[in-house]
Amino acid sequence: MHAFSRPSPRLSRRSLLALAGAAATAPLTAAPLAATPAAAASDVVVGGARLVADGVQVNGGGALPGKLTARAWLLADQDSGEVLASYRAHLRVAPASTLKMLFADTLLERFERTERYLVTDADLAGIPSGSSLVGVRAGVAYTVEQLWQGVFLRSGNDAVQVLARMNGGVAKTVAEMQARAVDLQALDTRVVSPDGYDHKGQLSSAYDLALFARHGLRDADFRAYCGTRAARFPAGGGKTLRIENTDRLLSGTYGVTPYPGMIGVKNGFTSNAGNTFTGAATRAGRTLVVTVLHPKSGHNAVYEETAALLDWGFAQGSSARAVGTLVEALSEGGTRASGSSAGKAPHAGAKASSAGDGDGPDGWGVLGGAASAVALLAGGAYALRRRRRGSGEAPPAS
């Protein structure tokens, strides 16, 4: 039940080539981030050119909801990947705990749900002050399932750190998350910490977060965890405490009405990121995924605007035609959509957030290319994952 390591699975030739390509194009140092549309190795925009055009992008369907105040948002069909409507889809902003979707998609299948881990004081050292916590305690043994419940339900940065330590450390986990983002073609994303907490240069976009949700929801465990409304969590001394999902559209707390057919996925809040949310819901056999980033006001605005976009998407049926697409992972047969890669200038049209987003356009906190390559080749099991198909303003900071 103590810290352990496991041998990395043997990578296929295809996976090794993909990792080598990512390592070869990654920089040795972080590059500065411009506040204007960035230069890129390719003029191809991931998902389609309309996703970086100015203003709201929609093609057909009725009038969009009238009170959308978010700095960026995107609505897409889960199965087809068609983007039905968007606004500043590739704007890079601080993601807060929505980045935990990428953490889960990267590590979820590394450990069996029933494996137990005895947490030490060292495992909990260095968690940022003010983090959201589920209450992991040193000296208590937790199952992997309980730790993931702590991540998904309570956005526990303590549970994230323990799982990262089990995976070989935070630095290795960050490198693997960045490699996963590249594989998913989430090229707006720069990972600095696995929990999504505010760090200089930690950025993502509405488009990338939708990619993480779409890919994660294909995994039965990911889908089950994000859809869990409540669970019992060890509190030490043989006692447990009840934890509830902080996704208010799922749990129906703080004055939010549960959304019919809600699946999940993940919410977040920090003073820099504001309220962030990526959610998915199913109605009449159709599943939609939506990301809403930093509405201007209202402690429930991120959920209200998410619900409004979902209502609009379900009401339109086939009358709303695609303005772009959520691309497939390279390791799963996806076509490379851009020539840029981790650590380089983002693909054409990607824009940095304004200084008002806190993490701001000051720099990318990504690991150097050589160090990343070593970590990736040591723990590149992600390329061989077997995908199992499955059928507010919220203090403290996440």
Side-chain angles (χ1 to χ4, degrees):
M1 294 191 298
H2 291 273
F4 59 92
S5 62
R6 56 174 65 196
S8 298
R10 181 173 297 175
L11 296 178
S12 67
R13 181 174 180 271
R14 177 181 177 185
S15 298
L16 286 170
L17 289 174
L19 288 171
T25 56
L28 295 179
T29 57
L33 193 63
T36 56
S42 169
D43 60 0
V44 177
V45 175
V46 176
R50 288 193 64 172
L51 300 186
V52 293
D54 290 336
V56 172
Q57 301 303 306
V58 66
N59 186 10
L64 285 164
K67 295 183 179 181
L68 298 177
T69 68
R71 298 201 60 189
W73 55 263
L74 179 144
L75 174 70
D77 185 281
Q78 167 72 15
D79 294 329
S80 69
E82 291 183 341
V83 177
L84 304 179
S86 70
Y87 176 63
R88 297 166 127 190
H90 284 295
L91 183 75
R92 289 174 294 168
V93 298
S97 281
T98 50
L99 194 65
K100 289 182 171 77
M101 294 186 296
L102 176 61
F103 173 74
D105 190 59
T106 304
L107 265 65
L108 197 56
E109 293 185 355
R110 298 290 173 85
F111 314 108
E112 294 296 330
R113 295 166 67 105
T114 56
E115 291 182 33
R116 300 181 69 83
Y117 183 82
L118 182 62
V119 175
T120 68
D121 288 324
D123 292 326
L124 300 176
I127 297 172
S129 176
S131 289
S132 55
L133 304 172
V134 66
V136 175
R137 298 186 180 188
V140 177
Y142 299 86
T143 65
V144 167
E145 179 178 34
Q146 289 165 340
L147 291 171
W148 280 118
Q149 288 172 341
V151 172
F152 276 94
L153 275 66
R154 296 302 302 173
S155 206
N157 289 3
D158 45 358
V160 169
Q161 180 146 315
V162 170
L163 286 163
R165 291 288 295 266
M166 291 171 64
N167 187 54
V170 170
K172 177 175 179 285
T173 299
V174 166
E176 291 176 356
M177 288 173 64
Q178 188 68 66
R180 167 62 79 190
V182 172
D183 180 54
L184 293 174
Q185 306 197 67
L187 303 183
D188 302 326
T189 297
R190 297 297 177 267
V191 183
V192 179
S193 69
D195 52 26
Y197 195 83
D198 285 334
H199 293 280
K200 182 183 285 294
Q202 182 138 279
L203 301 167
S204 192
S205 67
Y207 183 87
D208 286 8
L209 293 168
L211 284 180
F212 303 152
R214 184 183 184 224
H215 195 261
L217 287 170
R218 292 171 174 173
D219 183 275
D221 284 343
F222 185 106
R223 197 178 183 104
Y225 284 131
C226 76
T228 300
R229 289 175 170 79
R232 304 297 302 185
F233 192 80
K239 298 179 180 180
T240 63
L241 55 87
R242 176 184 168 88
I243 57 174
E244 291 187 344
N245 201 312
T246 56
D247 174 356
R248 298 179 188 178
L249 286 176
L250 187 71
S251 62
T253 54
Y254 295 95
V256 176
T257 301
Y259 191 84
M262 195 68 188
I263 298 171
V265 184
K266 191 71 192 75
N267 62 324
F269 173 80
T270 66
S271 56
N272 284 338
N275 290 288
T276 63
F277 184 65
T278 297
T282 298
R283 184 179 299 175
R286 187 184 195 190
T287 298
L288 299 179
V289 60
V290 60
T291 298
V292 173
L293 300 177
H294 201 169
K296 289 183 178 179
S297 63
H299 69 288
N300 282 328
V302 73
Y303 302 106
E304 293 165 354
E305 296 187 21
T306 294
L309 284 167
L310 286 170
D311 284 344
W312 180 88
F314 286 125
Q316 301 316 306
S318 60
S319 62
R321 297 179 294 278
V323 297
T325 186
L326 298 179
V327 297
E328 298 293 339
L330 296 175
S331 64
E332 297 172 11
T335 301
R336 188 178 298 276
S338 174
S340 58
S341 58
K344 299 182 72 173
H347 57 80
K351 298 180 181 181
S353 61
S354 70
D357 282 313
D359 282 352
D362 296 303
W364 295 340
V366 296
L367 296 177
S372 297
V374 172
L376 294 176
L377 291 172
Y382 78 90
L384 294 181
R385 290 175 67 187
R386 290 189 294 250
R387 308 302 304 176
R388 295 195 300 274
R389 301 275 176 170
S391 31
E393 189 171 307
S398 59

